[in-house]
Amino acid sequence: MLKPIALFINGVFASVLDEILETQSALPEQILFLQPYSGYVIKKLRDDVPSVESPMRLFLSITDDLATIRYQAEIVGWRDKRDLSQDEKQSINRVIAALQKGERELYNDAPSSTGENVNLLYVRRLQKVSSPFSVAQLRKLSDGEPLSTARTTAGGYSYVETEVLELAASS
């Protein structure tokens, strides 16, 4: 059962998502990785880690079209990259090298005060949204207001209400 909130990530490279789509078309339940470009922990993921049994919906815009939701997926895990053991890093890097060749490996080059890229999202069931829709159809969990379409740079995320997402996804 999906968690009662969803996550929106602003401006992911379409090439990264298309590579995941290609792998998951052959291996539909294969869990792959997204590495949001941020040095700050996504706290709700850390505090209530999604799982295969209790995933969180993820909506994504791409760098070439920040104001439109073009992809959705399920987040089925989260880790702080700083806490991964060497064995875990090696295992994840093998999966990335084999199935996400464009990513090559875990990276750690976020433009933040911490200088680290900390979030590792485990995702499955990525798909293109059949009818892309404006980010303004998503309402922030924090204040119930729509997300702004005046987006000029990639990066950042918002927690959004799932009721609105269900309506937007079906439109």
Side-chain angles (χ1 to χ4, degrees):
M1 183 163 145
L2 286 167
K3 293 194 177 293
I5 62 170
L7 184 69
F8 161 68
I9 296 180
N10 183 52
V12 177
F13 289 112
S15 60
V16 170
L17 299 173
D18 288 341
E19 190 170 56
I20 292 173
L21 274 177
E22 182 179 333
T23 297
Q24 290 182 344
S25 69
L27 303 166
E29 294 299 308
Q30 178 66 48
I31 295 169
L32 294 172
F33 305 99
L34 286 175
Q35 303 179 68
Y37 204 56
S38 173
Y40 302 98
V41 169
I42 301 174
K43 292 177 184 169
K44 287 190 189 312
L45 291 181
R46 178 197 63 199
D47 295 345
D48 186 13
V49 179
S51 66
V52 170
E53 296 79 24
S54 183
M56 178 185 283
R57 180 158 298 151
L58 173 65
F59 279 72
L60 304 146
S61 67
I62 58 174
T63 54
D64 293 340
D65 187 5
L66 299 175
T68 305
I69 301 299
R70 297 210 172 262
Y71 294 82
Q72 68 176 349
E74 291 179 1
I75 302 170
V76 296
W78 173 90
R79 291 293 303 274
D80 184 326
K81 289 197 244 181
R82 300 169 294 187
D83 296 337
L84 295 171
S85 70
Q86 276 307 115
D87 287 344
E88 289 171 314
K89 287 178 185 175
Q90 288 174 350
S91 294
I92 291 167
N93 280 336
R94 281 194 294 275
V95 171
I96 291 172
L99 301 175
Q100 292 181 257
K101 293 178 174 84
E103 289 289 285
R104 294 191 309 273
E105 64 184 3
L106 291 169
Y107 61 83
N108 189 17
D109 56 358
S112 71
S113 60
T114 65
E116 297 181 291
N117 183 290
V118 300
N119 298 287
L120 180 64
L121 306 184
Y122 295 62
V123 296
R124 71 172 181 193
R125 299 179 180 165
L126 179 73
Q127 60 186 341
K128 285 187 175 181
V129 174
S130 58
S131 296
F133 58 93
S134 171
V135 297
Q137 288 185 257
L138 306 179
R139 296 197 176 273
K140 296 178 283 182
L141 191 63
S142 60
D143 61 11
E145 293 295 317
L147 289 173
S148 170
T149 58
R151 298 177 172 277
T152 57
T153 58
Y157 62 90
S158 292
Y159 301 104
V160 293
E161 299 174 358
T162 56
E163 297 81 26
V164 175
L165 290 176
E166 296 299 330
L167 295 172
S170 63
S171 61

